[in-house]
C-alpha cells in the first residue's frame, strides 16, 4: 500500500538518515507522543502539548505541523546547554535519537488548529514589524526568514503561524536574556526589541495561517 500524503509529507521534511540507520517511523512516534513509556517514567507528550500537537495551554507551544527537522533539533538542543528547560530537558534526555526523530516526523503530519490575534490596538504594529522589521533598530522583517504567512522554510526556519502569543513572547524573552542560546540571529534581534514590540508581533503571528 502506498503511503498517505501526510506520511509522505513527513518523510519529505524529516531529518535525513544515513545508510544503515533505523528508518524514521512516524506511527511509532505517534504512539510514544500519545502514551509515553510508563516503564521509563516518560509521560505522554499530549499531557502538555495537547492531542495531535495542538496545545490548549498558552505557555506550551503548538507542535502540530512543525517541520520534523526543526522539532528534532529542538529535542536535541534541550539535552545541551543551549536550551535548558527543566521539564523538556529531563524528558528529552530520556528519548533516544531515533525516538526524537519519530515523534518529530509524526508531529509534522498533524494539522494545527488556527490561532487568532487578540489585540486590535497593536495588530498594525505587529504587522509592520513582521513584514517590514524595525529599521531604526536594525530589526529585520520576520517574514524575511519565516515567510510571508509564517509557514517557515523546511530545515532552516520554523513555522510560527498560529502559535500562542504567550509562548512566542516567552521565547523572544529567553533569546533576549540569554536563557535560550540556540539561535544567534534570534538573540541579536530579540535584544533590539521592546516588550511592547514583542507582544505586538507575537499577537500578529498568532493570527497568521
Amino acid at each position: 500500500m502506498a503511503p498517505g500524503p501526510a506520511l509522505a509529507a513527513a518523510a519529505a521534511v524529516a531529518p535525513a538518515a544515513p545508510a544503515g540507520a533505523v528508518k524514521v517511523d512516524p506511527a511509532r512516534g505517534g504512539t510514544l507522543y500519545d502514551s509515553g513509556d510508563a516503564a521509563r517514567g516518560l509521560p505522554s507528550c499530549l499531557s502538555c502539548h495537547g492531542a495531535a500537537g495542538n496545545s490548549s495551554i498558552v505557555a506550551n507551544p503548538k507542535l502540530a505541523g512543525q517541520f520534523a527537522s526543526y522539532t528534532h533539533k529542538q529535542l536535541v538542543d534541550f539535552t545541551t546547554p543551549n536550551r535548558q528547560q527543566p521539564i523538556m530537558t529531563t524528558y528529552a534526555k530520556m528519548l533516544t535519537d531515533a525516538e526524537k526523530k519519530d515523534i518529530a516526523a509524526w508531529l509534522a503530519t498533524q494539522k494545527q488548529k488556527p490561532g487568532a490575534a487578540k489585540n486590535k490596538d497593536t495588530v498594525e504594529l505587529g504587522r509592520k514589524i513582521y513584514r517590514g522589521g524595525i529599521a531604526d533598530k536594525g530589526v529585520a522583517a520576520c517574514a524575511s526568514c519565516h515567510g510571508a504567512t509564517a509557514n517557515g522554510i523546511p530545515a532552516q526556519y520554523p513555522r510560527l503561524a498560529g502559535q500562542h502569543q504567550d509562548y512566542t513572547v516567552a521565547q523572544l524573552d529567553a533569546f533576549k536574556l540569554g536563557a535560550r542560546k540556540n539561535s544567534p540571529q534570534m538573540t541579536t534581534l530579540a535584544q533590539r526589541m521592546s516588550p511592547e514590540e514583542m507582544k505586538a508581533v507575537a499577537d500578529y503571528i498568532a493570527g497568521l495561517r
Side-chain angles (χ1 to χ4, degrees):
M1 180 181 294
L7 292 185
V13 295
V22 177
K23 185 178 179 181
V24 174
D25 187 341
R28 185 171 57 197
T31 297
L32 193 56
Y33 182 95
D34 286 341
S35 304
D37 185 346
R40 285 185 285 168
L42 183 70
S44 68
C45 307
L46 69 80
S47 60
C48 289
H49 294 286
N54 281 290
S55 167
S56 60
I57 303 170
V58 296
N60 298 337
K62 297 178 184 179
L63 303 177
Q66 186 57 267
F67 302 126
S69 55
Y70 180 78
T71 302
H72 172 256
K73 181 182 183 298
Q74 299 313 301
L75 287 171
V76 172
D77 284 352
F78 279 123
T79 69
T80 75
N82 290 330
R83 191 173 184 190
Q84 290 287 295
Q85 199 277 345
I87 295 172
M88 283 305 307
T89 293
T90 297
Y91 297 141
K93 287 181 176 179
M94 297 172 69
L95 295 168
T96 66
D97 194 58
E99 289 170 336
K100 290 179 174 70
K101 290 179 179 177
D102 290 344
I103 292 170
W106 181 78
L107 284 165
T109 71
Q110 305 307 300
K111 185 175 178 61
Q112 188 199 85
K113 292 181 180 178
K118 298 177 181 178
N119 191 339
K120 61 181 175 50
D121 295 327
T122 65
V123 70
E124 180 58 21
L125 173 60
R127 186 192 70 80
K128 287 180 178 178
I129 295 171
Y130 189 86
R131 295 187 176 278
I134 311 171
D136 61 351
K137 291 186 175 183
V139 175
C142 310
S144 62
C145 289
H146 295 283
T149 55
N151 281 298
I153 301 174
Q156 295 186 60
Y157 304 107
R159 171 189 168 88
L160 302 178
Q163 189 57 264
H164 295 306
Q165 290 93 329
D166 288 19
Y167 178 76
T168 300
V169 170
Q171 296 313 298
L172 288 170
D173 273 335
F175 282 123
K176 183 172 187 172
L177 299 174
R180 182 172 173 179
K181 306 171 184 177
N182 63 344
S183 173
Q185 303 97 313
M186 284 306 307
T187 295
T188 297
L189 295 172
Q191 288 174 344
R192 298 171 179 172
M193 296 178 72
S194 70
E196 293 74 23
E197 289 163 344
M198 290 180 182
K199 290 176 183 176
V201 77
D203 191 50
Y204 178 75
I205 286 168
L208 292 175
R209 303 185 182 188

